[in-house]
């Protein structure tokens, strides 16, 4: 792969990630709140029941719509865009690094393994995910902390710089890498996603390749191809996310301020024991509603930019 091709993939990946992040930010905030251990603070009423003669508070976490309503009432619409700054700072380099490493790795591995095989896609996606996660974890930690900041209307919001200072004062440099173990576990989601995506994409291209079309029909074909890429991205991401979702909840818990969660496996044991196994899938619906269009937008923007820049 030439240097120009690498730059094209860097730029296209950055554009795709940025567009997707802006359009789906409110759903990202809502998902993070639902995953958090502090979500019960949003419940306005406490239902009491008697257990062995003692009153025990049983607080059921709110659903997505209830949570959204409470955020709007208590914090205002601007809270739905909390963490957008770090998200925009991080998403472009993160996706750019990811797509550049993925494309470069695939190019090199095609010369060693069977070209465009599942092994190539798995290894490439794994290397890309590991590199991007390691490089950008501090940015995502700050983003998560800002999204979990629940100060009411009129109160001074925590800024990104204040968040950075608090993390450093509490845990030092190590604090910026909290949740990275869960992010590494999440590489499996990326691997599954790209294997399915590449398979669907290849089938679409194989189906349309034999067709001989004139110039006008070609323009229609390109539009159809991009629509097919969006469908492929959405389908593959849905499958991957549903399989690997618990790592998302664990990562959010590890990134909470002053959290009792210390490691990936400790959190994996603690959450089901205290809240039941359903807690590991809290926010899944919101995550899918956000992730499907986000991934489709990201992948489609990436493919469009690559196509336009390569002519």
């Amino acid at each position: 792969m030439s240097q120009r091709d690498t730059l094209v993939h860097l730029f296209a990946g950055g554009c795709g990630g940025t567009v997707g992040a802006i359009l789906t930010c409110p759903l990202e905030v809502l998902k993070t709140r639902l995953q958090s251990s502090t979500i019960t603070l949003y419940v306005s009423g406490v239902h009491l029941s008697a257990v062995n003669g003692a009153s025990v508070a049983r607080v059921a976490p709110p659903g997505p719509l209830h949570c959204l309503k409470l955020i709007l009432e208590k914090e205002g619409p601007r809270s739905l865009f909390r963490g957008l700054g770090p998200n925009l700072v991080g998403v472009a380099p993160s996706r750019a690094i990811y797509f550049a490493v993925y494309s470069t790795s695939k190019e090199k591995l095609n010369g060693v393994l069977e070209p465009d095989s599942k092994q190539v896609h798995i290894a490439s996606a794994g290397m890309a995910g590991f590199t991007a996660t390691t490089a950008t974890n501090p940015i995502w930690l700050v983003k998560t902390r800002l999204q979990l900041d629940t100060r009411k209307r009129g109160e001074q919001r925590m800024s990104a710089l204040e968040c950075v200072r608090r993390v450093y004062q509490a845990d030092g440099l190590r604090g910026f890498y909290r949740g990275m173990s869960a992010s590494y576990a999440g590489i499996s989601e990326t691997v599954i996603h790209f294997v399915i995506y590449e398979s669907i994409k290849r089938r679409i291209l194989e189906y349309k390749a034999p067709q001989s079309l004139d110039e006008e029909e070609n323009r229609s074909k390109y539009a159809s191809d991009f629509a097919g890429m969006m469908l492929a991205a959405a389908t593959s991401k849905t499958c991957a996310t549903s399989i690997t979702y618990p790592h998302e909840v664990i990562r959010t818990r590890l990134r909470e301020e002053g959290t009792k969660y210390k490691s990936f496996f400790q959190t994996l044991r603690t959450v089901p024991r205290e809240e039941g196994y359903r807690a590991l899938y809290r926010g899944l619906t919101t995550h899918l509603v956000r992730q499907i269009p986000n991934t489709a937008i990201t992948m489609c923007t990436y493919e469009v930019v690559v196509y336009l820049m390569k002519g």
Side-chain angles (χ1 to χ4, degrees):
M1 180 178 291
S2 68
Q3 184 177 6
R4 183 182 182 281
D5 286 339
T6 300
L7 292 175
V8 166
H9 287 287
L10 274 167
F11 181 73
C15 288
T18 300
V19 173
I22 293 173
L23 295 179
T24 62
C25 184
L27 291 171
E28 168 75 10
V29 173
L30 187 60
K31 178 209 71 172
T32 303
R33 296 286 182 91
L34 290 169
Q35 291 173 341
S36 171
S37 64
T38 61
I39 186 62
T40 52
L41 296 177
Y42 290 100
V43 181
S44 55
V46 176
H47 302 284
L48 300 179
S49 61
V51 179
N52 296 327
S55 293
V56 179
R58 291 183 177 177
V59 183
L65 293 179
H66 187 194
C67 183
L68 175 62
K69 178 183 176 183
L70 291 172
I71 290 174
L72 291 173
E73 289 179 351
K74 295 184 177 182
E75 304 173 47
R78 289 183 60 188
S79 287
L80 293 175
F81 290 89
R82 295 287 292 161
L84 180 59
N87 209 357
L88 291 179
V89 169
V91 72
S94 174
R95 302 314 294 172
I97 291 169
Y98 185 93
F99 280 112
V101 174
Y102 178 79
S103 299
T104 304
S105 300
K106 188 168 71 169
E107 181 79 12
K108 293 184 180 299
L109 290 173
N110 276 338
V112 179
L113 304 173
E114 180 184 349
D116 288 323
S117 62
K118 290 184 178 180
Q119 292 82 356
V120 170
H121 296 152
I122 290 173
S124 300
M127 285 187 276
F130 181 87
T131 305
T133 294
T134 304
T136 60
N137 193 80
I139 300 173
W140 305 135
L141 180 129
V142 172
K143 180 204 72 172
T144 300
R145 292 283 178 92
L146 291 177
Q147 290 176 340
L148 293 177
D149 185 35
T150 58
R151 304 181 195 191
K152 297 181 180 179
R153 291 175 186 262
E155 294 182 349
Q156 182 65 39
R157 307 276 180 171
M158 180 171 63
S159 67
L161 290 178
E162 180 187 350
C163 181
V164 169
R165 185 174 66 252
R166 289 173 64 164
V167 171
Y168 184 76
Q169 288 176 345
D171 300 308
L173 291 176
R174 289 182 59 187
F176 292 101
Y177 290 90
R178 291 188 62 83
M180 194 159 68
S181 57
S183 294
Y184 286 151
I187 292 174
S188 60
E189 176 184 337
T190 305
V191 171
I192 295 170
H193 160 53
F194 261 93
V195 168
I196 299 174
Y197 173 73
E198 291 284 0
S199 177
I200 297 175
K201 177 182 173 181
R202 186 173 62 250
R203 289 181 181 275
I204 291 173
L205 295 177
E206 286 175 353
Y207 173 75
K208 297 188 175 183
Q211 301 177 16
S212 177
L213 305 171
D214 60 29
E215 186 177 347
E216 183 177 349
E217 288 177 319
N218 265 324
R219 285 195 293 269
S220 176
K221 174 180 179 292
Y222 291 138
S224 176
D225 284 346
F226 291 134
M229 299 310 171
M230 290 187 71
L231 178 62
T235 302
S236 59
K237 195 63 177 181
T238 300
C239 296
T241 297
S242 299
I243 294 170
T244 63
Y245 184 75
H247 88 272
E248 289 269 352
V249 175
I250 294 172
R251 183 172 59 196
T252 296
R253 300 295 179 96
L254 288 171
R255 288 175 176 171
E256 292 175 351
E257 186 172 7
T259 183
K260 63 183 176 181
Y261 305 106
K262 305 301 179 184
S263 68
F264 180 86
F265 289 107
Q266 180 256 348
T267 307
L268 184 61
R269 292 191 301 269
T270 302
V271 173
R273 184 174 67 244
E274 295 183 349
E275 304 171 47
Y277 283 97
R278 290 184 63 182
L280 290 174
Y281 290 88
R282 231 158 56 188
L284 175 58
T285 301
T286 305
H287 184 64
L288 286 174
V289 170
R290 170 195 171 269
Q291 198 75 328
I292 292 172
N294 181 65
T295 302
I297 292 166
T298 299
M299 297 301 296
C300 185
T301 304
Y302 169 73
E303 298 284 358
V304 170
V305 173
V306 169
Y307 168 73
L308 292 176
M309 294 187 70
K310 286 189 173 182

